[in-house]
Amino acid sequence: MIKTKFKMAISGLVLTLGMSTLAPEYLAVTSAAHAAEWHEGGTLHQATALEWQQASHANKLATAADIITDASAKELLRPELQKTVTAGPDSYFPLAHGLVKGLDAAFFPDPDPAANRAMFVNQKVNETMAQLMEAMGWLK
């Protein structure tokens, strides 16, 4: 049941987080938001969903940036996204922010702590981000 619920959540996220809906919403970010090197220092690569739920937005954003740049370095991204990433951090901020939004939705805490733990203890951030990127058509 948990896997089915998760797959349904991922499917719903793809519909709401399609590539065309990400960019316009997040391009109006001030340069002050980027002054603190938003794309560095993420520590959630091997984290579970439970750890993601408790992490700061800055850590989530930096982790998403790391995963995007890693996919780019391995040339796994579609060509148009590859160009975006190689243009620098400001250009792929919308992608990283979209992944954070997607994982926040996928890992939305259950109000019952026991049910929340059962649902999310074995879900990994890096695996779920890869699934989201694949489902959104970001990967080759």
Side-chain angles (χ1 to χ4, degrees), residues 77-88:
L77 297 175
R78 286 190 345 225
E80 63 273 19
L81 297 178
Q82 187 74 25
K83 288 177 188 175
T84 299
V85 175
T86 57

Side-chain angles (χ1 to χ4, degrees), residues 43-53 55 59 63 67 103 107 120-128:
T43 63
L44 301 169
H45 308 83
Q46 301 300 319
T48 67
L50 294 173
E51 293 167 309
W52 180 270
Q53 290 172 345
N59 195 2
T63 300
I67 289 175
L103 254 65
F107 296 157
F120 294 116
V121 70
N122 293 317
Q123 292 188 35
K124 297 288 187 181
V125 168
N126 58 353
E127 293 170 2
T128 306

Side-chain angles (χ1 to χ4, degrees), residues 102-116:
L103 254 65
D104 282 347
F107 296 157
F108 190 79
D110 189 294
D112 175 15
N116 188 62

Side-chain angles (χ1 to χ4, degrees), residues 37-46 52 58-74 76-77 85 89 92-93 95-97 99-100 125-126 129-130 133 138:
E37 301 296 334
W38 66 269
H39 55 90
E40 296 178 350
T43 63
L44 301 169
H45 308 83
Q46 301 300 319
W52 180 270
N59 195 2
K60 293 175 182 181
L61 193 59
T63 300
D66 287 344
I67 289 175
I68 290 168
T69 57
D70 184 56
S72 175
K74 293 176 181 173
L76 299 174
L77 297 175
V85 175
Y92 65 84
F93 178 82
L95 298 174
H97 194 75
L99 281 180
V100 170
V125 168
N126 58 353
M129 275 197 189
M133 293 169 72
W138 292 8

